[in-house]
Amino acid sequence: MIRSIVIIQILLFPVVLQAQKTDMENTGELGVSLNTGFNGELYAFQVAPSLVYLKGNSQFELGMGFNPFDRADQTLLRGDISYKYFPNGTERKFNLYLVSQLAIIHNQRNAYYPATYNYLFLNAGYGFQIKLFDGAYLGTNVKMGTFTYNKSSENPHEGFQSTGFFDETGFNLDFQLHLNYFF
């Protein structure tokens, strides 16, 4: 429980910093992003196209994704909300940022013992991006956080019994590479 509170505080820190600003720097920009990443808990490569909104030093992303290398016996679907805070803005060639992310991942396994897992990830980290040309950015980040999952299975074996969210929690590491374009 203490770990979850600390993670939530870290994730909300950039929002508090942005709320303390009194001037509106500029109007927002809408864009698209192609995010690719590797999740340390699922050991899966994922692709998540996203809609991006940038206003001042804050960037919000909403995306849905999948594993392009799905096996016939496993399906991964992903939905995530991300917040990036650029302390020095996005006008330079190299821009550092803080990132927080809430992701939900559905993992359907149709192997010998079929099971369905629904993961909830709460991650925070840092990254940098390079301005390729006006409106286009290439970047990467690393995030660490906590996760929980629920599991359901029709198998009566004790090792495959169903579990609910927050029955088990853990820590994970997540790496991401993204390409953004703003209109």
Side-chain angles (χ1 to χ4, degrees), residues 8 15 18 22 24 46 53 72 78 81 83 85 105 130-131 139 168:
I8 289 171
V15 175
Q18 183 65 21
T22 57
M24 298 308 253
Q46 298 165 21
Y53 180 73
R78 171 190 187 104
I81 298 172
Y83 172 76
Y85 178 70
I105 298 177
I130 300 169
K131 186 175 186 178
E168 296 184 29

Side-chain angles (χ1 to χ4, degrees), residues 4-54:
S4 298
I5 292 171
V6 170
I7 296 290
I8 289 171
Q9 287 177 341
I10 291 170
L11 291 174
L12 290 178
F13 184 70
V15 175
V16 171
L17 289 176
Q18 183 65 21
Q20 293 176 355
K21 290 189 172 193
T22 57
D23 61 334
M24 298 308 253
E25 295 174 348
N26 57 14
T27 59
E29 295 181 70
L30 190 62
V32 292
S33 178
L34 181 62
N35 300 311
T36 60
F38 181 79
N39 185 299
E41 173 62 22
L42 299 175
Y43 300 112
F45 177 77
Q46 298 165 21
V47 175
S50 302
L51 288 175
V52 181
Y53 180 73
L54 176 68

Side-chain angles (χ1 to χ4, degrees), residues 1-9 122 146 166 169:
M1 182 67 177
I2 298 291
R3 291 185 288 188
S4 298
I5 292 171
V6 170
I7 296 290
I8 289 171
Q9 287 177 341
L122 186 59
T146 186
F166 303 105
T169 60

Side-chain angles (χ1 to χ4, degrees), residues 1 18 26 34 40 44 56 64 76 103 112 120 146 152 160 165-166 173-175:
M1 182 67 177
Q18 183 65 21
N26 57 14
L34 181 62
M64 297 194 66
L76 283 172
Y112 187 67
L120 181 63
T146 186
S152 61
F160 291 92
F165 279 116
F166 303 105
L173 194 59
D174 194 90
F175 301 97

Side-chain angles (χ1 to χ4, degrees), residues 86 88-97 127-132 137-138:
F86 297 87
N88 299 322
T90 59
E91 299 304 318
R92 298 181 179 165
K93 180 74 172 171
F94 298 100
N95 304 301
L96 297 175
Y97 62 87
F128 75 93
Q129 69 180 14
I130 300 169
K131 186 175 186 178
L132 299 175
Y137 299 89
L138 177 66

Side-chain angles (χ1 to χ4, degrees), residues 64-109:
M64 297 194 66
F66 58 95
N67 181 355
F69 306 112
D70 272 345
R71 300 184 317 225
D73 61 345
Q74 178 178 334
T75 302
L76 283 172
L77 299 174
R78 171 190 187 104
D80 62 46
I81 298 172
S82 298
Y83 172 76
K84 295 177 183 173
Y85 178 70
F86 297 87
N88 299 322
T90 59
E91 299 304 318
R92 298 181 179 165
K93 180 74 172 171
F94 298 100
N95 304 301
L96 297 175
Y97 62 87
L98 300 172
V99 61
S100 59
Q101 182 180 52
L102 175 66
I104 299 170
I105 298 177
H106 174 77
N107 186 356
Q108 178 74 38
R109 298 178 185 174

